[in-house]
Amino acid sequence: MSRAGLDKRPRDVASMFDGVANRYDLTNTVLTGGLDRTWRRAAAGALDLRPGLRVLDLAAGTATSSRAFALAGTDVVACDFSLGMLRAGQRRLASRPLPGEAGRILLTAGDGLRLPFRDETFDRTTISFGLRNVADTFGCLTELRRVTRPGGMLVVCEFSRPVWALWRTVYVEYLMRALPAVARAVSNSPDSYVYLAESIRAWPAQAELAGLLREAGWSRVGWRNLTGGVVALHRGHVPD
C-alpha cells in the first residue's frame, strides 16, 4: 500500500506496521541519524512528568517512548492498533525489565478514533509520529480530549514543515528519494517507507495542526519546532 498516507485505511495501515515491527526502531534511528531519540526526549520533557501521573501513550508502537515515561515514575498505558508492534514491545520489555522505582506499563490494543477508556482517565495524553497515520485527525484529537482529565495536557510529536525554504527543499528531496533507498538497505519492508514519506509530505503545517487542536477543544495551544521544523511538538491543555 504505497499511497496509504493519502487514503489511510486502518486495517491496511495496521498490517503495514505489523510487517515492519521487528526492525522499526532500528530503521527509524538509521533514517533520522539518531535524531528520533532526541525528538522523543523532547516530547517526554514537554509532558512535565512526575511520579503518580497516569499517561496515555497513543500509537505507542514498541513502547519506546512509554519506557521513558515510566522511568519518570508515571503509570503508562501504551496503546496501538498494530498487534505486531505491541508484541515487539512486549518482547523488549520482557528482555529489559523496568527498575523497581519506575511506574508500570500496560500494553493494550486500541483505535485512536474509539479509545477504549472512560472520560477523563489520564493526566497526560501523547502521540508521537502516529497522528498522521490516523484516518481522521480531528476525530483522534477529540478522543484524546475526551479521555484527558481537567488540568491535563496533550503533547503531539510529529513530523512537520521545515521553516526555512532551502532546508524545506532539501528535506523533501530526502524524503522522496533518499529515504526509500536507505530503507531498502535496513528495513524488511522498504515499500512501507514510501508510504511514510508520502504521509509526511502531505501532513499539514504547524499553524494548521494547531487550529485543529483548538477546534477539538484544547486550550492554550502552542508548538515548538525541533530541527528547524522537521518535527514539531504541539501542546494543548484541558482547563481545570
Side-chain angles (χ1 to χ4, degrees):
M1 181 183 60
S2 63
R3 301 201 62 82
L6 310 179
D7 181 16
K8 292 172 280 194
R9 299 182 296 273
R11 184 175 299 176
D12 290 344
V13 176
S15 177
M16 181 198 73
F17 280 103
D18 288 345
V20 302
N22 289 334
R23 304 187 70 182
Y24 181 75
D25 293 311
L26 171 63
T27 304
N28 283 346
T29 298
V30 171
L31 291 175
T32 65
L35 285 170
D36 60 317
R37 298 169 181 172
T38 300
W39 298 331
R40 290 181 187 277
R41 283 196 298 268
L47 282 166
D48 188 25
L49 299 174
R50 54 185 180 272
L53 295 181
R54 193 173 191 199
V55 179
L56 171 63
D57 185 12
L58 183 59
T62 61
T64 300
S65 295
S66 302
R67 183 181 182 88
F69 304 154
L71 289 173
T74 66
D75 288 333
V76 185
V77 176
C79 182
D80 201 285
F81 69 168
S82 166
L83 295 179
M85 296 287 271
L86 291 172
R87 292 187 187 105
Q90 188 174 44
R91 290 192 295 271
R92 172 171 293 184
L93 289 171
S95 66
R96 295 177 56 211
L98 291 164
E101 67 272 15
R104 297 170 295 175
I105 298 177
L106 173 65
L107 300 173
T108 185
D111 184 344
L113 298 179
R114 293 180 295 275
L115 292 172
F117 312 112
R118 294 180 180 177
D119 295 358
E120 302 180 0
T121 297
F122 299 97
D123 302 290
R124 302 285 189 271
T125 51
T126 184
I127 180 168
S128 293
F129 307 110
L131 187 59
R132 72 183 189 284
N133 298 317
V134 180
D136 180 357
T137 303
F138 177 78
C140 182
L141 292 173
T142 301
E143 270 291 271
L144 287 166
R145 173 65 174 78
R146 178 183 66 79
V147 301
T148 305
R149 292 170 178 162
M153 180 197 306
L154 165 71
V155 170
V156 177
C157 180
E158 188 54 87
F159 289 106
S160 196
R161 194 72 53 85
V163 294
W164 305 305
L166 179 59
W167 179 221
R168 185 161 55 245
T169 299
V170 171
Y171 174 62
V172 170
E173 287 297 310
Y174 170 76
L175 280 177
M176 301 314 299
R177 297 186 183 184
L179 186 149
V182 175
R184 280 193 290 273
V186 296
S187 173
N188 59 342
S189 181
D191 287 347
S192 299
Y193 287 86
V194 175
Y195 150 72
L196 292 173
E198 291 181 346
S199 70
I200 293 168
R201 190 171 64 169
W203 188 244
Q206 291 87 326
E208 186 178 349
L209 181 57
L212 284 176
L213 266 76
R214 295 187 187 97
E215 290 179 29
W218 296 96
S219 66
R220 294 163 51 201
V221 172
W223 72 84
R224 176 163 66 97
N225 289 318
L226 304 176
T227 318
V230 169
V231 166
L233 293 179
H234 281 74
R235 286 185 288 185
H237 298 78
V238 178
D240 290 319

